[in-house]
Amino acid sequence: MANKTLGLEKNLYDYLHSVSLREPEVLAQLREETAQHPMSIMQIAPEQGQFMALLVQLIEAKKTLDIGVFTGYSSLVVALTLPPEGKVVACDVSEKDTAIARRYWLKAGVADKIELHIAPAQETLDRLIAGGEAGTFDFAFIDADKNNYDNYYERALQLVRPGGLIAIDNVFQSGRVADPQQQDNRTNNIRALNQKLHHDPRITISMLPIADGLTLALKLR
Ligand code: CA
């Protein structure tokens, strides 16, 4: 995992931030508070959040999925970009982490745009599909437990509309995917998904070396 872009020299990374980061104060405060969290590495990088907001704007998304909320940065950066009628359906299992998230969503004035489901994400996604919401989402961000990534991907692919976009986080696993010595479950699961996506005929893809690797999958029309 990485809460900054891997493989960039610090001076270049600092430069990138200095000339392009437009992080609203409330997001900067959330990032600062999350830095004290023992799992702060799970926070997405600010340049990644800004990029996702740009994508959401680009496809004129109104309804999005956030699979893996943690302290709420990704939900918040998207909610701030959505139009007033926009909605983020957010999935997480932790009451404790999402209590921090809720506090910042309120502070930012977008709490009414974010619908939080505290349950295993797979159950929430299955409920959405059973409830007739397949094909109604414009954007999905997958950033939860890595061993279930393929399950999340398959469900997200049903839930997004044709032309909708799925962003999959941590596809580099801090570089471990490229090291054959690393044979832990998480890394092997991400490797298998990366390989599956490479030639998946249902999507077009781009794997970006931003943060800890972010794969974009566009659902074909
Ligand atoms: Ca992540």
Side-chain angles (χ1 to χ4, degrees):
M1 284 179 281
N3 54 9
K4 56 184 270 224
T5 287
L6 296 173
L8 270 191
E9 298 287 347
K10 186 182 181 302
N11 63 341
L12 189 52
Y13 187 65
D14 291 346
Y15 176 79
L16 178 153
H17 276 190
S18 74
V19 298
S20 72
L21 199 61
R22 298 182 179 185
E23 189 178 41
E25 185 54 31
V26 65
L27 282 170
Q29 287 170 4
L30 171 55
R31 199 151 56 87
E32 215 166 284
E33 179 168 345
T34 304
Q36 312 304 318
H37 191 288
M39 292 301 292
S40 63
I41 193 81
M42 282 167 59
Q43 168 103 296
I44 65 167
E47 67 277 13
Q48 177 185 353
Q50 187 170 316
F51 174 62
M52 285 168 33
L54 183 148
L55 292 174
V56 162
Q57 276 183 286
L58 185 67
I59 64 169
E60 298 180 0
K62 292 196 173 68
K63 191 176 170 191
T64 77
L65 268 174
D66 193 35
I67 304 170
V69 172
F70 187 43
T71 59
Y73 195 100
S74 53
S75 290
L76 181 52
V77 76
V78 168
L80 285 169
T81 301
L82 291 179
E85 73 276 20
K87 183 165 100 168
V88 179
V89 175
C91 310
D92 206 282
V93 288
S94 171
E95 289 279 4
K96 200 172 166 209
D97 293 339
T98 56
I100 300 171
R102 285 181 200 266
R103 186 150 44 79
Y104 280 88
W105 299 344
L106 276 170
K107 194 172 183 176
V110 295
D112 58 336
K113 285 188 192 170
I114 306 173
E115 184 185 294
L116 177 63
H117 296 256
I118 301 286
Q122 203 170 310
E123 288 176 16
T124 301
L125 301 176
D126 282 340
R127 256 200 317 277
L128 292 169
I129 293 166
E133 296 194 49
T136 67
F137 287 82
D138 304 296
F139 177 79
F141 179 50
I142 301 177
D143 188 19
D145 51 309
K146 309 309 173 211
N147 294 341
N148 275 310
Y149 257 36
D150 191 33
N151 292 324
Y152 300 147
Y153 167 67
E154 285 298 333
R155 283 156 181 80
L157 195 58
Q158 290 185 60
L159 286 162
V160 300
R161 61 170 167 86
L165 190 64
I166 304 172
I168 305 161
D169 200 25
N170 302 109
V171 294
F172 287 171
Q173 288 294 294
S174 309
R176 286 194 303 278
V177 286
D179 177 358
Q181 308 271 36
Q182 306 294 332
Q183 291 296 332
D184 59 285
N185 278 347
R186 290 166 55 104
T187 304
N188 281 332
N189 280 318
I190 295 287
R191 268 193 202 111
L193 181 61
N194 287 343
Q195 264 156 16
K196 168 175 157 173
L197 296 186
H198 188 186
H199 297 296
D200 189 331
R202 300 170 295 178
I203 54 169
T204 52
I205 68 163
S206 182
M207 182 187 266
L208 299 169
I210 188 171
D212 186 27
L214 182 71
T215 291
L216 300 182
L218 181 79
K219 181 173 171 177
L220 290 174
R221 291 174 196 275

